[in-house]
Amino acid sequence: AYLAFYVINDLQMDQSAKALVPAIIYISCFIVSIALQEIAWNSKLLKAYFSTGCILWIFCGAVVMLLTKRMSYAMYIVSVFIGIANALMMV
């Protein structure tokens, strides 16, 4: 919910980014979750994907905290990784 305010107010991106960044997150999450359905799960693989998603979320959080107005284009790249981390953690 706060991502749209962060993108517009702090990074001062275009108004279209308010909808585009969450859309990128949901699309990348959807694609990865479809790919994860085809995997034969066991306990070690489950732990590995969960740990990868957690590390990816922490990395994305750190990058978002360090973004400046001049590096706002990187938010589009980070949103792809946020979507991947969401899929890994929730699926």
Side-chain angles (χ1 to χ4, degrees):
Y2 295 116
L3 187 61
F5 296 114
Y6 173 73
V7 166
I8 299 300
N9 294 337
D10 291 349
L11 296 180
Q12 295 181 349
M13 295 174 73
D14 294 334
Q15 289 291 325
S16 62
K18 187 174 17 177
L20 191 58
V21 169
I24 293 171
I25 291 172
Y26 292 131
I27 290 169
S28 63
C29 184
F30 178 72
I31 291 170
V32 172
S33 66
I34 288 174
L36 289 175
Q37 289 179 353
E38 303 300 322
I39 296 174
W41 293 97
N42 60 27
S43 63
K44 289 189 181 200
L45 193 60
L46 182 65
K47 290 177 186 176
Y49 280 121
F50 194 74
S51 298
T52 303
C54 181
I55 291 168
L56 205 55
W57 254 353
I58 292 170
F59 172 74
C60 290
V63 169
V64 167
M65 293 294 285
L66 298 174
L67 281 179
T68 62
K69 294 174 191 172
R70 294 185 341 174
M71 297 185 339
S72 62
Y73 63 89
M75 189 63 203
Y76 295 114
I77 298 166
V78 172
S79 63
V80 171
F81 289 107
I82 291 172
I84 293 169
N86 283 344
L88 290 173
M89 296 292 287
M90 291 186 205
V91 173

